[in-house]
Amino acid sequence: MSRYFSPATFRFFRDLAANNSRPWFAEHKAEYEAHVREPFLQLIADLQAPMAKISPHFVADPRKQGGSLFRIHRDTRFANDKTPYKTWSGARVAHERARQVPAPSFYLHIQPGDCFAGGGIWHPEPPTLKKLREFLADNPAAWKKATRSRAFAERFTFWGESLTRPPRGFDPAHELIEDLKRKNFAAGTGFTQAVACSDELLPTLVDIFRRIAPMNDYLCAALDLEF
């Protein structure tokens, strides 16, 4: 048994997906609190000590508002899908300066059939992306050490889309050209619902974050941030 999530967590999300409306959520808010939000906040609190050992500059913040846990409410202003709630829950262990400047983070996602964790920087704005690519082009050896080891390759997959052609201003023959084409510098790995509902969850996450840390360390260096 997990001290965090349970089959009831995943049942809540499946029911929410089938009844994604404000009246239904209001009626089942106590289930959300008991099976999703409270255990997730406890998990974030329990990540504080191990994350401080990985890097003192990343913050696992268990506050109910404005902390690591994402809100369940969707931002529907510019979306075609007007359903009001996310059918998943996620948390970001962010860099201490993430509110001021673009920064990598560690990420955790809980969803029926799609649980995963990892790190990096997702959808960086064009100036940030340019800075990352320039640093990568100039510092290939450290990137290869962080992301080309067998331990990394066996465990992690890069997320997101890439350009079809080399980005303008970069050598098409550069040894890291496939990395330079990335629109995101984020990677991670999935885990099962069984792990999410077991006492293995916390050590599994700490292990994932520890192994992805060299990549986040590199991205921090690229963005002039401490790790």
Side-chain angles (χ1 to χ4, degrees):
M1 276 298 290
S2 168
R3 50 201 297 207
Y4 310 111
F5 306 115
S6 69
T9 306
F10 292 88
R11 192 160 54 243
F12 172 82
F13 282 125
R14 282 193 296 272
D15 291 347
L16 175 59
N19 305 277
N20 199 331
S21 71
R22 286 185 174 80
W24 185 90
F25 189 84
E27 206 178 307
H28 295 83
K29 187 145 189 245
E31 291 165 46
Y32 168 67
E33 292 290 340
H35 302 307
V36 181
R37 197 179 186 205
E38 289 303 328
F40 216 142
L41 293 172
Q42 184 59 54
L43 174 59
I44 292 164
D46 292 346
L47 277 166
Q48 285 180 310
M51 289 310 297
K53 287 183 183 163
I54 292 170
S55 165
H57 300 286
F58 284 79
V59 183
D61 182 347
R63 285 177 302 161
K64 285 195 166 183
Q65 262 91 32
S68 292
L69 188 66
F70 284 102
R71 295 173 74 236
I72 191 143
H73 303 83
R74 293 182 64 247
D75 182 354
T76 59
R77 289 172 301 170
F78 308 109
N80 293 328
D81 176 2
K82 296 296 180 189
T83 52
Y85 303 104
K86 297 166 187 163
T87 54
W88 51 270
S89 191
R92 181 176 56 208
V93 179
H95 194 276
E96 63 193 356
R97 293 192 57 211
R99 290 192 192 280
Q100 295 105 41
V101 292
S105 60
F106 296 90
Y107 181 70
L108 162 61
H109 187 97
I110 298 291
Q111 182 174 7
D114 193 19
C115 295
F116 58 87
I121 190 159
W122 185 247
H123 290 344
E125 294 291 323
T128 306
L129 186 56
K130 186 168 184 282
K131 200 171 180 183
L132 291 170
R133 284 174 174 158
E134 285 170 351
F135 191 86
L136 212 71
D138 293 341
N139 301 277
W143 178 254
K144 288 197 292 188
K145 194 175 172 196
T147 65
R148 297 280 173 89
S149 68
R150 198 158 98 203
F152 189 98
E154 281 173 358
R155 197 76 186 270
F156 300 122
T157 307
F158 276 95
W159 296 327
E161 299 174 341
S162 290
L163 298 170
T164 47
R165 294 198 189 90
R168 195 178 312 157
F170 291 89
D171 177 8
H174 193 286
E175 60 176 319
L176 295 183
I177 195 60
E178 292 310 313
D179 289 300
L180 291 169
K181 287 181 190 174
R182 296 188 192 287
K183 295 181 184 178
N184 306 280
F185 290 93
T189 186
F191 55 91
T192 63
Q193 181 175 321
V195 168
C197 295
S198 77
D199 57 9
E200 287 301 300
L201 179 60
L202 184 63
T204 296
L205 292 173
V206 172
D207 183 56
I208 290 169
F209 293 155
R210 196 168 43 78
R211 288 167 188 262
I212 206 99
M215 184 181 80
N216 270 356
D217 187 355
Y218 184 97
L219 296 172
C220 281
L223 299 170
D224 299 316
L225 294 165
E226 288 184 276
F227 184 83

